[in-house]
């Protein structure tokens, strides 16, 4: 809770006028405890995992010809009931896993010093802290995800997430409750190492959710701004991991691809991409369409 009763007190303490954003923050947060502000994170989970996948659901059922060609696994069709079942299961997992986590993790958040007061973080502070969070989460997630693909981890926990061999947006957090907690730890590591403002923490959690939904969307759009991010994996990269399923020892990356490249866990994907590229060139030279090339080529490959 802010230690000021009025805007004038806040401005006197800072020695300047509040910015527009700081004024909004004061009016919203002044009478709310830090714990209530932290609990907004759970609200964001429910809201964004409800709304963000809806455009992909709309595209799936409207079957726009010009957009449908960007679907990665074209032969897979998901019914509305299947999608709703997935959504309902995810919400139940959030209630059972994220709710208790919220209660037990707040003392840690308070201890490390994630602040809620004024001033708000600058644009450069936001950028660099979010960059640190992304890199830290990506590296930790790589190893935790890879660990979940060991025999025991896959059979007992991770196989739930791989029920979707063709991922959809609603399935981004579709997982065993233990996996939600395990991989959720990777998301908390950055803020634990470099604590910032609660606004930064919120933005990080929202950004992570949106990225996970995009990666599991099942569509690879050429106009996606994420394509311009260096070493970004994207939907097609992660789709390969799901398509191979339990046998997959490839493409463990959360956001970036550098860990897979450094540790040699993208060899199968690179080999598939090379073969698919040759197949595409051959089909084009013969004047044929390449709609099912992904599936016909991938089934003949031996994955490492």
């Amino acid at each position: 809770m802010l230690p000021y009763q009025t805007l004038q007190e806040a401005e006197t303490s800072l020695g300047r006028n509040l910015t527009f954003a700081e004024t909004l923050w004061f009016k919203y947060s002044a009478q709310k405890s830090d714990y209530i502000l932290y609990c907004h994170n759970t609200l964001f989970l429910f809201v964004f995992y409800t709304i963000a996948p809806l455009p992909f659901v709309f595209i799936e059922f409207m079957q726009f010809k010009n957009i449908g060609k960007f679907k990665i696994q074209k032969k897979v069709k998901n019914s509305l009931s299947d999608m709703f079942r997935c959504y309902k299961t995810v919400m139940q997992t959030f209630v059972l896993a994220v709710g208790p986590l919220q209660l037990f993790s707040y003392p840690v958040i308070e201890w490390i010093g994630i602040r809620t007061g004024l001033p708000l973080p600058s644009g450069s502070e936001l950028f660099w802290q979010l960059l640190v969070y992304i890199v830290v989460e990506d590296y930790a997630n790589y190893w935790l995800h890879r660990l979940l693909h060991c025999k025991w981890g896959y059979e007992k926990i991770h196989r739930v997430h791989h029920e979707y061999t063709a991922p959809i947006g609603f399935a981004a957090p579709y997982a065993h409750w233990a996996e939600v907690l395990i991989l959720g730890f990777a998301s908390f590591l950055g803020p634990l190492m470099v604590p910032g403002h609660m606004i930064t923490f919120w933005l990080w959690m929202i950004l992570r959710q949106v990225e996970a939904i995009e990666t599991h969307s099942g569509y690879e759009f050429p106009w996606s701004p994420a394509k311009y991010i260096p070493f970004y994996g994207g939907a097609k990269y992660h789709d390969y991991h799901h398509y191979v399923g339990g046998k997959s020892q490839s493409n463990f990356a959360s956001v970036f691809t550098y860990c897979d490249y450094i540790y040699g866990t993208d060899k199968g994907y690179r080999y598939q991409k090379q073969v698919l590229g040759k197949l595409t060139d051959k089909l084009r030279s013969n004047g044929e369409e390449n709609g099912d090339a992904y599936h016909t080529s991938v089934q003949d490959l031996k994955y490492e």
Side-chain angles (χ1 to χ4, degrees):
M1 185 177 293
L2 294 179
Y4 315 114
Q5 296 300 314
T6 65
L7 286 170
Q8 288 72 24
E9 284 185 31
E11 290 177 339
T12 300
S13 177
L14 293 179
R16 60 172 174 80
N17 294 331
L18 299 184
T19 65
F20 177 71
E22 288 172 336
T23 301
L24 291 179
W25 177 251
F26 178 89
K27 291 179 179 179
Y28 183 75
S29 66
Q31 301 303 315
K32 294 180 176 65
S33 69
D34 290 355
Y35 178 70
I36 293 299
L37 292 173
Y38 174 61
C39 286
H40 281 49
N41 181 50
T42 302
L43 176 64
F44 294 148
L45 282 173
F46 281 95
V47 170
F48 277 85
Y49 274 124
T50 299
I51 297 176
L54 292 180
F56 299 108
V57 174
F58 180 73
I59 292 171
E60 181 83 6
F61 285 97
M62 292 305 294
Q63 296 183 349
F64 298 110
K65 186 176 181 181
N66 290 337
I67 299 180
K69 64 184 179 181
F70 300 121
K71 185 172 182 178
I72 300 168
Q73 297 192 41
K74 294 179 174 61
K75 290 183 178 180
V76 178
K77 303 296 180 182
N78 296 287
S79 67
L80 189 60
S81 62
D82 287 338
M83 291 188 177
F84 181 74
R85 180 187 65 84
C86 177
Y87 170 75
K88 184 174 68 172
T89 303
V90 167
M91 292 298 111
Q92 290 172 344
T93 304
F94 280 169
V95 171
L96 294 175
V98 179
L101 177 64
Q102 195 84 62
L103 290 173
F104 291 110
S105 62
Y106 176 70
V108 178
I109 295 296
E110 188 176 35
W111 174 70
I112 64 174
I114 290 183
R115 60 189 181 89
T116 59
L118 297 173
L120 292 183
S122 64
S124 61
E125 181 183 343
L126 273 175
F127 174 81
W128 288 112
Q129 286 188 332
L130 288 174
L131 182 61
V132 169
Y133 297 172
I134 291 171
V135 172
V136 169
E137 190 278 341
D138 188 69
Y139 191 81
N141 187 287
Y142 172 86
W143 287 107
L144 291 173
H145 186 187
R146 189 170 175 178
L147 182 65
L148 287 172
H149 271 266
C150 72
K151 182 177 176 60
W152 187 91
Y154 187 85
E155 291 179 355
K156 300 296 184 182
I157 299 176
H158 194 50
R159 64 174 179 79
V160 176
H161 185 64
H162 275 273
E163 288 177 14
Y164 284 87
T165 56
I168 58 176
F170 280 127
Y174 181 87
H176 191 283
W177 65 267
E179 179 171 342
V180 173
L181 297 181
I182 291 169
L183 296 185
F185 174 72
S187 297
F188 275 94
L189 267 180
L192 289 174
M193 295 171 61
V194 187
H197 197 277
M198 188 65 74
I199 291 288
T200 311
F201 185 76
W202 288 357
L203 287 175
W204 161 235
M205 290 300 169
I206 292 171
L207 181 65
R208 183 67 187 93
Q209 293 168 46
V210 171
E211 187 279 329
I213 292 168
E214 190 273 336
T215 301
H216 288 82
S217 67
Y219 288 84
E220 181 86 345
F221 298 119
W223 57 77
S224 172
K227 295 176 72 70
Y228 300 101
I229 301 175
F231 308 110
Y232 183 76
K236 186 175 289 187
Y237 189 87
H238 192 67
D239 184 272
Y240 174 89
H241 177 83
H242 274 265
Y243 188 85
V244 180
K247 299 177 182 178
S248 180
Q249 292 299 318
S250 182
N251 293 29
F252 295 114
S254 171
V255 180
F256 303 114
T257 61
Y258 68 93
C259 281
D260 280 314
Y261 181 80
I262 292 172
Y263 300 113
T265 49
D266 64 347
K267 292 179 180 178
Y269 176 73
R270 282 190 282 143
Y271 177 62
Q272 179 265 344
K273 195 173 182 180
Q274 181 182 17
V275 172
L276 182 57
K278 292 179 180 178
L279 178 60
T280 301
D281 293 339
K282 183 178 179 181
L283 289 172
R284 284 175 178 170
S285 66
N286 293 334
E288 301 176 31
E289 292 295 327
N290 191 31
D292 294 325
Y294 178 84
H295 299 286
T296 57
S297 62
V298 82
Q299 290 169 356
D300 295 330
L301 297 177
K302 180 179 179 181
Y303 300 103
E304 300 180 17

